[in-house]
Amino acid sequence: LRRLRCRRFVRYHNITPPHFFDANTEAHKGTSRGYAQIAEIVEQFDLLIGDSNYNVDQLRPYLKSRKPALCIYPIAEQQDIASLPHDPALVSRIKSSGSVHLVFVGRIARNKRQDLLLKLFEYYYDQIDHGTHLWLVGNEHLDPVYRRELQEQHRRLSGKDNVHFVGKVSDREVASYMLAA
């Protein structure tokens, strides 16, 4: 980076904060190294780009001087999702089960805050639409303690029968859940 004689930008998606992992794990060590690397390189960029204001704000503590920043939100176009390989039978089955489908795609992990998503679902289910379904799609075996906490929270929901922990699925199935949402 230092040898480049041009304008440089970084597009920062984020690094999970180390405190979400047990201290002696590779995940904790790796994310700690990642933050140390941010501190070493962030000043070498002319522009900071993040896919959320939160992500841009995560870079600011490492700056010695102000830098221009830009947020470019990721966009999922319906027609792009529809053109992905998917399972029409799965889409039909999901859509037939209710009126509104909320889909979260990503690993079940404490920093992803599915606990807050369950609270949001509960409010929406209770106050707006009893036909709503929540589909949690992603690997659920990485943090068994958090997964148990979510199971306990799930058990207490009035709409618990409409919350589905799907687990890790193929890209074709991910596209199907997204298309049904």
Side-chain angles (χ1 to χ4, degrees):
L1 284 173
R2 287 184 186 100
R3 289 194 305 252
L4 292 173
R5 299 293 171 228
C6 59
R7 306 215 14 109
R8 297 165 294 226
F9 72 89
V10 60
R11 183 178 183 279
Y12 182 67
H13 177 68
N14 73 33
I15 299 171
T16 301
H19 70 266
F20 282 103
F21 304 105
D22 290 333
N24 293 322
T25 63
E26 282 304 312
H28 187 277
K29 293 173 190 170
T31 56
S32 296
R33 283 192 305 272
Y35 278 98
Q37 290 169 349
I38 289 172
E40 290 175 19
I41 67 171
V42 74
E43 279 296 322
Q44 297 175 48
F45 295 101
D46 303 297
L47 174 66
L48 310 176
I49 300 174
D51 56 8
S52 70
N53 287 322
Y54 173 84
N55 288 342
V56 171
D57 289 344
Q58 293 300 298
L59 295 173
R60 294 192 196 284
Y62 300 97
L63 294 172
K64 294 179 181 87
S65 61
R66 287 183 56 109
K67 300 272 182 181
L70 178 64
C71 184
I72 301 176
Y73 298 99
I75 298 171
E77 296 287 349
Q78 185 70 20
Q79 66 268 19
D80 293 341
I81 295 169
S83 68
L84 293 172
H86 62 276
D87 179 349
L90 178 56
V91 173
S92 292
R93 184 173 58 81
I94 294 167
K95 283 186 171 187
S96 71
S97 65
S99 55
V100 173
H101 298 277
L102 306 172
V103 175
F104 175 91
V105 178
R107 61 190 165 85
I108 305 297
R110 195 171 301 278
N111 63 297
K112 300 296 184 185
R113 297 306 307 259
Q114 287 92 353
D115 58 315
L116 295 179
L117 190 54
L118 289 174
K119 287 180 180 180
L120 171 74
F121 168 79
E122 182 75 345
Y123 175 84
Y124 195 90
Y125 179 88
D126 285 344
Q127 302 298 317
I128 298 170
D129 184 355
H130 288 308
T132 301
H133 285 257
L134 172 61
W135 306 86
L136 298 163
V137 180
N139 191 341
E140 52 189 356
H141 302 294
L142 300 173
D143 187 344
V145 173
Y146 183 60
R147 180 62 175 95
R148 282 192 298 276
E149 291 170 13
L150 291 176
Q151 282 175 304
E152 180 60 31
Q153 183 182 358
H154 173 236
R155 206 171 43 75
R156 295 188 308 267
L157 297 175
S158 59
K160 65 184 172 201
D161 293 339
N162 289 19
V163 175
H164 314 278
F165 287 86
V166 177
K168 189 173 182 177
V169 299
S170 69
D171 289 345
R172 181 180 165 98
E173 290 168 300
V174 167
S176 300
Y177 283 101
M178 291 173 57
L179 194 56

